[in-house]
Amino acid sequence: VLDERLQRTAEAAKSAGCDWAILTNFDSICYALGHAPFIETALSPFAGGPTTAFVRADGACGLVAPNVESAAAQASRADEKIIYEGFAYDHRADIVGNYAAAIAEIKTRLGIGGVLGAEPETLPATLAASLGAERTLDINEPLRRARATKTAEEKALMRRSAMAAAKGQEAFYEWARPGRTELDVFAQVRAAMENFAGERTAVAGDFLSGKARTAGGVGWPISRVIGLNDPLISDLAPRVSGYWGDSCASSVLGTPQDGYLKLFNTAKRALDRALEIMRPGIVAADLDGELRRSVAAAGYSYPHHSGHSIGASVHEWPRLTPYERAPLQEGMFIMVEPAAYDPDIGGVRLEWMIEITATGCRPAAPFEHRPSIAA
Amino acid sequence: VLDERLQRTAEAAKSAGCDWAILTNFDSICYALGHAPFIETALSPFAGGPTTAFVRADGACGLVAPNVESAAAQASRADEKIIYEGFAYDHRADIVGNYAAAIAEIKTRLGIGGVLGAEPETLPATLAASLGAERTLDINEPLRRARATKTAEEKALMRRSAMAAAKGQEAFYEWARPGRTELDVFAQVRAAMENFAGERTAVAGDFLSGKARTAGGVGWPISRVIGLNDPLISDLAPRVSGYWGDSCASSVLGTPQDGYLKLFNTAKRALDRALEIMRPGIVAADLDGELRRSVAAAGYSYPHHSGHSIGASVHEWPRLTPYERAPLQEGMFIMVEPAAYDPDIGGVRLEWMIEITATGCRPAAPFEHRPSIAA
């Protein structure tokens, strides 16, 4: 039995008029074949060679990967796996030559040809040359739509990634103390997520303290020392087994002033509103508009999307934006992140991962949003 | 005045018979232009578009980068900087179209043409198509050689990255305790390096506990609980301001047995020997052989290189291997990492970054190698 993600990838290729999907983005390779190598030091920092997945319109598939990714490749769902030498100790590896030879080999084994669907933003020139396709089409759009609702296997992975993020937020509430740096607290938060995952995890997101930084809303942690009564934003997106969790907590370390509570309650009300109205059929732009109106009623706004789908990529289609006319569907996992920012007070953004069910929605791994942390 | 790295890149292009160097590896872009975006969640996880540097044989230069890398691009040394939209909140960004338009624009502004020197392992097909070069050569080899000795600016960066790694090793000695997981200790180690750097840093290397894992020698930390008298390996390679530090400490948490002390003393003796004999003119393979013989005299061996150069990439040319005939030169920064492994006892690898001086060598940021940590 074909994994449903592989099947959907094959169908996306077919619907786009392609005989083959040629995948070169790390997230789509993970989606189609379950190949999830580490990415925390960029892709293949040692071996430097490309990774490529091939999926035929009937679901036959193969993978070409450098030897640093060998363990991940062996654990993948690919029918044919060709590992090429990108790194060796007793001679210098000819990365480009070895990759080209691997492509030639898999082309023969699988009979790759005809119309190819590719991801042009990451397609290597050497791959395009080796394949010598008669015609290559952009397959991004059908792939994006195929991935919008999650399969049964993915639902379990998404809940686990959301739980990893929730563990991070618990550690955030526990470890934030005046006198520690943002990086100190972030280290504990990260350890909680990594211990849950059982391995190092890539982490996207934001970690901010103080009025100016939280009012700006985005940025990675720095060595700023956290002070008493500082507002904090902890936006945590850990990648576990190739799937991203996400979440955002905002809190004052000490005693929140009235102005801060107003920001907090504004964002909380909008998030609560989302949980009331999210269900199959609601249009992404309408949900986005509803959340913006809720925040605007209190006199605030936010300069970013209201949320986004998530999976093997941290941002997926659809996003909650004014231009997105797609209706939500059962099986989507949507990040919802309304916010309120005030340069005189700071920023509050509250985010949960929300699963769309047959009749409504439910948070994938809810954690408490607290306006303050005891200092 | 041209930065010396830019000048060396230009000369490498010229020596290879190229009119332009077209750079697409993140480390060579950093080297030539000082563009050092974050890489800890792979390259551009949100915007997904390529980054490209252009260096003419006379040193004129330009950079094309997606808007998520805007701050890094503005801080770079590029004469011409074109930031294209890879991510937007109020519409969907056309990544491939925007990148192609940016390439067309910089091609016109800088007059790019003639013979191009490229890095074929990462050259995007869309870039190759947009440039429409009459001829493209592989520029990796001359670039590799140009980067082997460090410029004055790089020497300061290398010492700082080595110091970050040393701070990590101090934290390793301080935080390793029975009952903590590898990931717990690694989090503190990482926090020490990140607080020193003032920002999140990508970290390569290995972090291992117990007989079996340390005897294997490589691997990232997991949730294994560290036990009393466990052997530990802490190989830390943090990337600070685009330059990598590296180092390896090995220690027993508790009381080392005689067999472990023999492994430790074997690796230490080889590292001490390296410091005695490293100087300009010694051939990499001869140094490698000397270290292997030193370890073999005690009855051990190691299945990896004896070391490697380091800089904007964590592994650079030359490496300390039996096949490398390059002589060491003043201004090289060489990682030296002799080791001894025994499946019945565990593994010990001891590594310092060593700078080659006019007459000999010196460690860039020495830290103490200790056979044991008090439990």
Side-chain angles (χ1 to χ4, degrees):
Chain A
V1 180
L2 291 190
D3 180 274
E4 194 178 338
R5 287 161 285 185
L6 177 58
Q7 202 172 326
R8 290 192 190 190
T9 305
E11 282 163 11
K14 202 168 172 182
S15 76
C18 299
D19 299 299
W20 287 88
I22 313 294
L23 305 175
T24 48
N25 289 350
F26 72 85
D27 58 314
S28 52
I29 295 171
C30 175
Y31 179 81
L33 299 184
H35 175 66
F38 294 123
I39 61 166
E40 293 93 310
T41 48
L43 299 175
S44 304
F46 296 100
T51 305
T52 312
F54 302 85
V55 177
R56 194 163 64 192
D58 67 358
C61 61
L63 177 70
V64 168
N67 55 353
V68 288
E69 297 182 3
S70 181
Q74 294 306 341
S76 78
R77 298 185 292 270
D79 297 333
E80 296 280 350
K81 295 158 188 164
I82 300 186
I83 308 300
Y84 67 93
E85 186 183 81
F87 184 82
Y89 282 118
D90 58 355
H91 60 276
R92 180 183 294 170
D94 172 13
I95 296 174
V96 174
N98 294 344
Y99 175 67
I103 294 298
E105 171 67 19
I106 205 159
K107 195 179 163 183
T108 305
R109 279 199 214 171
L110 292 174
I112 297 164
V115 180
L116 306 182
E119 300 173 299
E121 67 278 20
T122 51
L123 183 72
T126 175
L127 174 60
S130 301
L131 287 174
E134 58 185 74
R135 205 148 65 96
T136 304
L137 305 176
D138 184 338
I139 202 175
N140 271 307
E141 191 57 29
L143 276 182
R144 191 175 281 141
R145 288 174 189 269
R147 287 167 52 177
T149 61
K150 271 39 186 181
T151 70
E153 292 79 7
E154 284 186 295
K155 285 177 183 175
L157 288 162
M158 293 312 296
R159 286 176 201 130
R160 183 155 174 259
S161 298
M163 185 57 75
K167 294 282 178 198
Q169 300 298 5
E170 283 168 25
F172 163 61
Y173 293 139
E174 184 184 341
W175 289 91
R177 291 283 182 288
R180 291 186 180 153
T181 67
E182 293 175 4
L183 286 164
D184 287 334
V185 180
F186 183 71
Q188 296 295 348
V189 164
R190 186 168 191 149
M193 298 192 291
E194 293 188 334
N195 275 313
F196 176 81
E199 60 180 17
R200 285 182 63 178
T201 61
V203 181
D206 307 283
F207 202 87
L208 307 160
S209 66
K211 198 181 287 186
R213 276 172 59 78
T214 58
V218 294
W220 278 6
I222 57 175
S223 46
R224 181 182 185 277
V225 175
I226 301 174
L228 184 65
N229 297 325
D230 268 359
L232 307 172
I233 288 182
S234 170
D235 191 322
L236 305 174
R239 177 179 177 263
V240 180
S241 306
Y243 279 79
W244 295 83
D246 198 355
S247 67
C248 190
S250 298
S251 222
V252 159
L253 182 58
T255 310
Q257 303 301 303
D258 287 351
Y260 184 85
L261 289 174
K262 195 180 165 203
L263 293 179
F264 187 91
N265 293 334
T266 299
K268 185 68 168 63
R269 195 160 41 237
L271 183 59
D272 289 343
R273 181 75 184 129
L275 284 159
E276 283 169 22
I277 62 176
M278 287 174 79
R279 61 179 180 281
I282 186 170
V283 170
D286 295 344
L287 173 58
D288 174 79
E290 181 78 14
L291 301 186
R292 287 183 199 278
R293 276 190 299 279
S294 172
V295 167
Y300 301 110
S301 66
Y302 46 92
H304 49 72
H305 52 211
S306 295
H308 55 91
S309 182
I310 185 167
S313 181
V314 69
H315 281 183
E316 300 204 341
W317 179 87
R319 287 200 293 160
L320 305 182
T321 60
Y323 68 82
E324 181 55 67
R325 300 306 308 165
L328 300 192
Q329 298 172 59
E330 185 183 353
M332 284 183 171
F333 282 70
I334 305 285
M335 302 309 311
V336 180
E337 49 183 322
Y341 302 103
D342 183 331
D344 294 330
I345 295 172
V348 171
R349 186 166 69 242
L350 301 179
E351 180 182 38
W352 271 355
M353 184 186 291
I354 297 178
E355 177 180 355
I356 308 299
T357 62
T359 57
C361 70
R362 67 174 157 241
F367 57 89
E368 190 188 356
H369 283 117
R370 304 184 196 168
S372 64
I373 302 171
Chain B
V1 180
L2 292 189
D3 179 274
E4 193 178 339
R5 286 162 286 185
L6 177 58
Q7 201 173 325
R8 290 192 190 188
T9 305
E11 282 163 12
K14 202 170 172 178
S15 75
C18 299
D19 299 299
W20 287 88
I22 313 294
L23 304 176
T24 49
N25 289 350
F26 72 86
D27 58 313
S28 52
I29 295 171
C30 175
Y31 179 81
L33 300 184
H35 175 65
F38 294 123
I39 61 166
E40 292 91 312
T41 49
L43 297 176
S44 305
F46 297 100
T51 306
T52 312
F54 302 85
V55 176
R56 194 162 66 193
D58 67 358
C61 61
L63 177 69
V64 168
N67 54 353
V68 287
E69 297 182 2
S70 182
Q74 294 307 338
S76 79
R77 297 185 293 268
D79 297 334
E80 296 280 348
K81 295 159 188 161
I82 300 186
I83 309 300
Y84 68 93
E85 186 183 81
F87 184 83
Y89 282 117
D90 58 355
H91 59 276
R92 180 182 294 169
D94 172 13
I95 296 175
V96 174
N98 294 343
Y99 175 66
I103 295 299
E105 171 67 20
I106 206 159
K107 194 178 166 187
T108 305
R109 280 199 212 169
L110 291 174
I112 297 163
V115 180
L116 307 183
E119 299 173 299
E121 67 278 20
T122 51
L123 183 72
T126 175
L127 174 60
S130 302
L131 286 174
E134 56 184 76
R135 204 149 64 95
T136 304
L137 305 177
D138 184 338
I139 202 175
N140 271 309
E141 191 56 31
L143 276 182
R144 192 175 280 143
R145 288 173 188 270
R147 286 165 53 175
T149 60
K150 272 34 185 183
T151 70
E153 292 79 6
E154 284 185 296
K155 287 178 182 174
L157 288 162
M158 292 312 296
R159 287 175 200 132
R160 184 156 172 260
S161 298
M163 184 57 75
K167 294 281 178 197
Q169 300 298 4
E170 284 169 25
F172 164 60
Y173 293 138
E174 184 183 342
W175 290 92
R177 291 282 182 289
R180 291 186 180 153
T181 68
E182 292 175 6
L183 286 164
D184 287 333
V185 179
F186 184 71
Q188 296 295 348
V189 164
R190 186 167 191 151
M193 297 192 291
E194 293 188 336
N195 275 313
F196 176 81
E199 61 181 16
R200 285 181 62 177
T201 61
V203 181
D206 306 284
F207 201 87
L208 306 160
S209 67
K211 197 181 286 187
R213 276 171 62 73
T214 58
V218 295
W220 277 6
I222 58 175
S223 47
R224 180 181 185 279
V225 176
I226 301 173
L228 184 65
N229 296 327
D230 268 359
L232 306 172
I233 288 183
S234 170
D235 190 322
L236 305 174
R239 177 178 177 262
V240 180
S241 307
Y243 279 79
W244 295 83
D246 197 355
S247 67
C248 191
S250 298
S251 220
V252 159
L253 182 57
T255 309
Q257 304 301 304
D258 287 351
Y260 185 86
L261 288 174
K262 194 179 166 203
L263 293 179
F264 187 92
N265 292 335
T266 299
K268 184 69 168 62
R269 194 161 41 238
L271 183 60
D272 288 345
R273 180 76 184 129
L275 284 159
E276 283 170 23
I277 63 177
M278 287 174 78
R279 60 180 181 279
I282 186 170
V283 170
D286 295 343
L287 173 58
D288 174 79
E290 180 79 13
L291 301 187
R292 287 183 198 278
R293 276 190 298 278
S294 172
V295 167
Y300 301 111
S301 66
Y302 46 93
H304 49 72
H305 53 210
S306 296
H308 54 93
S309 182
I310 186 167
S313 183
V314 69
H315 282 183
E316 301 204 340
W317 179 88
R319 287 201 292 160
L320 305 183
T321 60
Y323 68 83
E324 181 54 68
R325 300 306 309 164
L328 300 192
Q329 298 172 58
E330 183 183 355
M332 283 183 172
F333 281 69
I334 305 285
M335 301 310 312
V336 181
E337 48 183 323
Y341 303 102
D342 183 333
D344 294 329
I345 295 172
V348 170
R349 186 165 71 244
L350 302 178
E351 180 182 37
W352 271 354
M353 184 186 290
I354 298 177
E355 177 181 354
I356 308 299
T357 62
T359 56
C361 70
R362 67 172 157 243
F367 56 90
E368 192 189 353
H369 283 118
R370 303 184 198 168
S372 64
I373 304 171

